[in-house]
Amino acid sequence: MKKNTLLFVVGAVCLAAAAAVYATGASAVQTAREALAALQEDYSKVQALAYTGFVDLDTEAPAALDGVLYFPVEDGEVKTLEDVRALLGRVYTQRKAAEVLDYCTGTTRVLTELDGRLYRADAYEMGWPIGAEVDAAQWDGDALTVQVTLEWNEPVPGVLTLRQEGGAWKIDGIERAS
């Protein structure tokens, strides 16, 4: 094979490889955007229930437990801890949903159920508010690692891990980028 032909073939192979890498990266970003858009409504509700407390509460019917004042949650869809579990299961993988539920009912004790009704402490916990933009994404085996901005008091870089479970993309991990 002539030198020019060989250079042409090598160049074509390199160009094809670069295009494949670009296409895979673009596909990961697009998949991440679509996954986060699908989760947005439920994720916002999780943030309100589990962290910020920006939910409608019945302030006329408080209950005191172990020195903490709880108020019934006034939400048409989330009325019990079982409803919270279902909501978490739509947003997070089973492992992560269990972790978030334990955080809400054990670690911070912001959620409880009394007489079959969901109650929330009038408290604020720092959550994981995800910004609207996906900064970058890449496949990592069967997971998708996504660089986002966490909208805390000051925007900070964050990393999400998304995994498919039950045919849908769900959050398996979220952390502040190091």
Side-chain angles (χ1 to χ4, degrees):
M1 199 182 286
K2 290 187 177 182
K3 183 177 177 182
N4 287 345
T5 305
L6 181 60
L7 288 175
F8 177 75
V9 170
V10 170
V13 168
C14 288
L15 183 60
V21 168
Y22 174 77
T24 302
S27 175
V29 168
Q30 185 61 31
T31 299
R33 285 181 180 146
E34 290 170 4
L36 291 176
L39 293 172
Q40 182 57 45
E41 186 176 333
D42 284 338
Y43 187 77
S44 293
K45 188 171 277 200
V46 167
Q47 289 298 297
L49 279 168
Y51 300 104
T52 65
F54 298 152
V55 293
D56 290 331
L57 301 174
D58 180 358
T59 57
E60 301 296 317
L65 293 170
D66 298 325
V68 177
L69 205 54
Y70 290 87
F71 299 91
V73 173
E74 295 289 315
D75 185 282
E77 295 176 8
V78 183
K79 299 175 184 177
T80 65
L81 278 177
E82 191 56 39
D83 295 337
V84 173
R85 279 185 192 86
L87 174 65
L88 294 174
R90 291 192 304 267
V91 174
Y92 300 105
T93 59
Q94 288 180 3
R95 180 196 64 77
K96 187 65 176 175
E99 181 183 303
V100 173
L101 185 62
D102 182 60
Y103 179 79
C104 295
T105 60
T107 305
T108 63
R109 297 181 35 216
V110 296
L111 294 178
T112 194
E113 187 173 305
L114 298 170
D115 299 322
R117 188 168 183 193
L118 182 65
Y119 280 70
R120 188 181 195 294
D122 188 16
Y124 181 89
E125 294 292 328
M126 179 50 100
W128 298 93
I130 301 170
E133 290 299 315
V134 170
D135 299 326
Q138 65 184 29
W139 297 106
D140 185 13
D142 66 340
L144 190 56
T145 301
V146 185
Q147 282 78 44
V148 295
T149 299
L150 299 174
E151 300 292 341
W152 287 346
N153 292 336
E154 298 279 329
V156 297
V159 177
L160 285 177
T161 303
L162 299 173
R163 290 190 189 283
Q164 280 206 328
E165 187 178 85
W169 286 103
K170 298 180 181 183
I171 298 170
D172 191 50
I174 184 169
E175 61 188 32
R176 189 173 177 169
S178 50

